[in-house]
Amino acid sequence: MKTWKTSVVKKGVGMITVLALSLSLSIPASAKQSVPHSKVFAPSHELFRDKALHNGTVQQSFGFDDVNGHVYVMQLMAGGIQLPGEDAPVSGATRSLKGDLTLTKLDLAGNKLGYMYLKGFGHGVQIGIETEDGVPFIWSETDSVAEGKEGWGTQLARFPFEDGAILTPDSASLEKHRLVERADRTTVNIDSANNLLTMRYRMNGVFHFGVFSLDDVKEGRYEPVADVVQPSLGTFQGFASYGSFLYLLEGNAYGSNGSVVPIGNTYITVVNLQNGGVVDRELFTGGQDLSFREPEGLGIRVPDIRHPHKAQLYVGFASNFTPNRLSNLLYIDELKPLSRVVK
């Protein structure tokens, strides 16, 4: 059974009212209503399985356009591609170092509808989708800086999807935002049901999640309504926020770091954005029969925008083998009783 409740997040003089996925937790004194007891984890369902993206690399993240019924999937650009203005085909290692990404637009059955190339954007760890007057805008990291063998974003960008376009951090269609000065490893999620933007960022070696009013960000006001430190995790693979709660994905492909067929080591951790406390951490066992099965990205979908409280939590997995990795999306839409939360 699903239960939902309106709760309040307060920081400084700013206050926002949000719809929160109801879980067992302690609400701080600033909250005007308590949150009923329930839980997110339940048997999963498939949206689509083994679907090809524009490139054959592993998907990194995804986001939903709930207005138009589309999904956008981000991945590292494949090696061997030569784009206009490049002297020769570029290797995959160089693409990764420079932060070159490929964005694929799909329908909800996983059929490809279009693509874009994003040069110098980052690693594609997480993206967000905002739909304004029926037009989808992509939120992603940009201004990639190399660290190790990978490129990572240092601020955020908002831009409209344009099939076949090639963008760089200097493209005129980008609206860029530096929400936290001196932060790096920036990635983003959009909670369209509650008009919130959550940014994951690194400051002085520590990862944080800052929550902002989406309208404020677009108007250049960067005062967070909440900010929490990332709890201890395994291999980080993505995040999504919905109201007062943050969902964190971790895990590895079969055969790596203790991930063993068929159980794997994919976990979802739930964090209370009001106080940074960990509400729950549970193994996700959906898609056990996928080949490879590397967790890649979390997302919230609202199937009917007239009912934003009826949300679904999606987990992405890459499957198949190089050079033809495939995309898979599974979701959870039921809650478990309190007896399964409190041990």
Side-chain angles (χ1 to χ4, degrees):
M1 176 181 179
K2 289 189 182 72
T3 57
W4 306 81
K5 195 72 175 180
T6 300
S7 59
V8 177
V9 178
K10 184 175 182 182
K11 184 170 183 177
V13 296
M15 182 180 294
I16 57 172
T17 301
V18 296
L19 289 174
L21 193 62
S22 301
L23 297 167
S24 173
L25 51 87
S26 175
I27 301 297
S30 61
K32 293 185 178 180
Q33 295 181 337
S34 63
V35 178
H37 298 304
S38 55
K39 190 175 182 177
V40 299
F41 300 104
S44 63
H45 314 276
E46 288 183 2
L47 180 67
F48 57 69
R49 166 185 283 250
D50 288 339
K51 295 299 182 179
L53 303 175
H54 188 66
N55 286 176
T57 54
V58 168
Q59 70 178 54
Q60 294 294 314
S61 59
F62 60 92
F64 288 99
D65 172 359
D66 293 322
V67 174
N68 297 300
H70 297 141
V71 58
Y72 294 84
V73 182
M74 193 77 87
Q75 58 188 145
L76 298 177
M77 194 183 301
I81 295 173
Q82 182 177 356
L83 298 180
E86 296 175 343
D87 295 333
V90 179
S91 70
T94 298
R95 293 291 188 195
S96 182
L97 183 66
K98 291 185 175 181
D100 294 349
L101 303 172
T102 300
L103 180 69
T104 304
K105 177 181 179 180
L106 307 168
D107 64 20
L108 295 179
N111 300 305
K112 192 178 83 168
L113 302 176
Y115 72 95
M116 297 179 73
Y117 287 127
L118 310 173
K119 297 180 62 177
F121 274 58
H123 198 67
V125 174
Q126 195 63 56
I127 62 172
I129 310 297
E130 174 200 359
T131 309
E132 184 177 85
D133 298 326
V135 178
F137 287 85
I138 314 301
W139 284 85
S140 78
E141 63 195 282
T142 190
D143 287 41
S144 181
V145 172
E147 181 179 330
K149 297 181 179 180
E150 313 285 352
W152 308 89
T154 57
Q155 58 178 317
L156 302 184
R158 175 183 186 263
F159 56 92
F161 180 81
E162 182 183 351
D163 187 23
I166 303 170
L167 301 185
T168 72
D170 297 323
S171 294
S173 62
L174 263 65
E175 173 189 302
K176 296 203 287 188
H177 299 273
R178 189 178 297 277
L179 275 60
V180 179
E181 292 295 331
R182 298 181 301 281
D184 62 8
R185 295 287 192 101
T186 54
T187 53
V188 63
N189 166 257
I190 300 296
D191 176 359
S192 59
N194 299 292
N195 201 39
L196 298 174
L197 179 153
T198 301
M199 179 179 74
R200 181 181 187 250
Y201 66 96
R202 188 176 64 178
M203 178 66 72
N204 299 323
V206 178
F207 282 102
H208 297 249
F209 294 87
V211 184
F212 301 79
S213 160
L214 181 57
D215 288 340
D216 282 355
V217 170
K218 292 193 293 183
E219 293 176 6
R221 299 192 299 268
Y222 302 148
E223 179 65 26
V225 296
D227 192 284
V228 300
V229 173
Q230 178 177 300
S232 178
L233 300 171
T235 302
F236 182 83
Q237 298 286 13
F239 73 97
S241 62
Y242 186 80
S244 297
F245 295 94
L246 174 69
Y247 304 89
L248 308 177
L249 181 68
E250 64 180 279
N252 303 92
Y254 285 146
S256 176
N257 291 346
S259 177
V260 178
V261 179
I263 300 300
N265 65 352
T266 297
Y267 284 87
I268 300 175
T269 296
V270 186
V271 175
N272 177 6
L273 285 167
Q274 296 179 358
N275 56 26
V278 172
V279 175
D280 192 33
R281 179 177 181 268
E282 189 167 325
L283 183 70
F284 182 87
T285 58
Q288 291 181 336
D289 59 340
L290 291 172
S291 60
F292 186 64
R293 193 182 180 268
E294 182 175 13
E296 295 285 358
L298 279 180
I300 296 290
R301 179 185 169 217
V302 179
D304 186 344
I305 60 174
R306 297 170 299 178
H307 303 287
H309 59 290
K310 295 182 178 180
Q312 299 169 335
L313 177 64
Y314 279 74
V315 183
F317 285 96
S319 63
N320 209 39
F321 302 97
T322 302
N324 296 306
R325 301 294 191 187
L326 299 173
S327 175
N328 304 265
L329 293 186
L330 292 80
Y331 65 96
I332 303 164
D333 64 354
E334 298 177 6
L335 302 182
K336 289 183 178 180
L338 174 62
S339 60
R340 298 290 299 276
V341 182
V342 180
K343 303 295 191 291

